[in-house]
Amino acid sequence: MGLFKRNPFGQVLFIKKWLLRIFGFISHRRYRGFNELQIEGSEIIKKLPDTNVLFISNHQTYFADVTAMVHVFNASLSGRDDSIKNVWYMWRPKLNIYYVAAKETMQAGLLPRIMAYAGAISVERTWRAKGKDVTEKKEVNPNDTENIKIALEDGWVITFPQGTTKSFKPVRKGTAHIIKQHKPIVVPIVIDGFRRSFCRKGLFMKKKGILQSIVIKEPLAIDYENDSVEEIVEMIEYAIEQHPSFLKVIPLEELQEQEELNKTRQWNY
């Protein structure tokens, strides 16, 4: 790799590699040390092609979720099975992993701006601004969808189709349109535990000893020509376990039992 070789977004790969190495080594103990990350389905990562793969996931923090996924992807590609043991897999990181993030989030401070260089595709949210839903939605910026297309052609893209860290919010149709238009392999991921262990931004830990989890599922069977946008949206909601049917009224006794179970799930360090 040439010292000044760039990706399609003009980022110098040598710089990006070192950013990923540094962030990887610094953040590793957040998932294997202070807390424990339980992984399922890492064998799926090894079977994926090098480009045109779209990962869809529920969302709990701004940065901790995607950082954990980058760890899992690189560890899996380095031969680890459902494990991120030994962080040296980050010495040769996969450089064509991108993630979709709100532009206002990535511009909120120096650290997010640096992290953006490591793979962010910044988009303008049409339905939300400054942490609040807006009634007058803005037009979709065509440059945003074009950048996602470029990223898919170059590698893997992680997106959070609900566009928010709040649970059981609707999946945005824009993700379904991207799927129909670019026909990527769509891999669902379900995460848990990050909201309990990190602050909302995912930059700082708020609790230790939490069992975090990442479950990687088989790619979705999508008929790109015949499945409607609405059908794909519903498919996504079920796949990332955010469909309204997952909500239910839980009796007090069951809640108490669940709380006791959660205590046993805490990882003792």
Side-chain angles (χ1 to χ4, degrees):
M1 181 178 69
L3 189 61
F4 297 106
K5 185 177 180 180
R6 298 173 182 266
N7 65 14
F9 297 101
Q11 297 163 339
V12 178
L13 294 181
F14 178 78
I15 296 175
K16 182 173 181 178
K17 176 185 283 187
W18 271 101
L19 284 175
L20 288 169
R21 285 173 175 171
I22 292 168
F23 284 132
F25 279 83
I26 290 174
S27 62
H28 185 251
R29 290 202 63 185
R30 296 179 170 211
Y31 309 106
R32 187 179 169 85
F34 299 120
N35 295 301
E36 182 74 357
L37 181 62
Q38 179 178 289
I39 307 163
E40 294 181 29
S42 67
E43 69 280 357
I44 294 169
I45 300 298
K46 303 172 187 178
K47 298 183 290 186
L48 296 172
D50 192 48
T51 63
N52 205 35
V53 177
L54 181 68
F55 295 92
I56 55 172
S57 176
N58 61 314
H59 201 18
Q60 294 192 344
T61 72
Y62 293 171
F63 298 111
D65 310 359
V66 71
T67 302
M69 291 178 197
V70 171
H71 273 286
V72 172
F73 295 171
N74 281 287
S76 301
L77 293 173
S78 296
R80 291 159 178 78
D81 295 322
D82 293 340
S83 171
I84 57 169
K85 183 179 180 180
N86 190 346
V87 72
W88 284 100
Y89 56 77
M90 288 301 299
W91 189 250
R92 297 182 63 185
K94 182 175 173 64
L95 296 178
N96 57 345
I97 298 177
Y98 303 94
Y99 60 98
V100 179
K103 184 172 291 185
E104 62 182 87
T105 300
M106 302 314 299
Q107 294 178 345
L110 178 61
L111 183 57
R113 288 175 184 270
I114 294 173
M115 294 178 71
Y117 201 94
I121 307 169
S122 298
V123 300
E124 294 182 20
R125 293 189 292 192
T126 60
W127 69 94
R128 195 170 174 84
K130 298 180 180 179
K132 297 180 179 179
D133 293 335
V134 295
T135 54
E136 295 184 9
K137 296 182 180 180
K138 299 180 290 184
E139 293 292 326
V140 174
N141 188 335
N143 290 333
D144 293 346
T145 54
E146 179 64 21
N147 286 338
I148 294 173
K149 172 190 173 184
I150 292 171
L152 283 170
E153 290 175 346
D154 185 59
W156 295 357
V157 175
I158 301 167
T159 188
F160 303 98
Q162 292 168 285
T164 177
T165 56
K166 295 180 180 179
S167 299
F168 297 103
K169 289 295 183 179
V171 164
R172 300 291 164 180
K173 292 184 178 180
T175 302
H177 283 291
I178 289 169
I179 291 170
K180 281 187 68 69
Q181 184 175 358
H182 303 303
K183 302 176 177 58
I185 294 173
V186 181
V187 181
I189 296 178
V190 177
I191 65 169
D192 193 24
F194 295 89
R195 186 179 284 115
R196 295 190 295 275
S197 53
F198 293 99
C199 69
R200 186 178 180 183
K201 288 186 177 181
L203 295 175
F204 303 102
M205 289 178 53
K206 66 180 183 182
K207 194 171 184 180
K208 298 179 182 180
I210 299 297
L211 181 62
Q212 306 154 343
S213 65
I214 288 183
V215 178
I216 303 162
K217 298 184 176 182
E218 291 287 348
L220 296 181
I222 299 173
D223 186 334
Y224 301 102
E225 303 300 332
N226 298 315
D227 286 344
S228 67
V229 167
E230 289 73 19
E231 288 172 329
I232 295 175
V233 164
E234 186 176 46
M235 198 180 302
I236 292 171
E237 288 177 335
Y238 276 111
I240 64 174
E241 300 181 7
Q242 292 293 298
H243 189 270
S245 65
F246 283 87
L247 285 169
K248 64 178 181 179
V249 178
I250 306 175
L252 179 60
E253 294 79 7
E254 188 174 338
L255 281 172
Q256 291 173 339
E257 290 179 7
Q258 186 66 36
E259 185 63 27
E260 290 301 317
L261 181 60
N262 284 338
K263 291 180 181 178
T264 67
R265 287 174 173 167
Q266 287 192 349
W267 182 68
N268 296 317
Y269 55 92

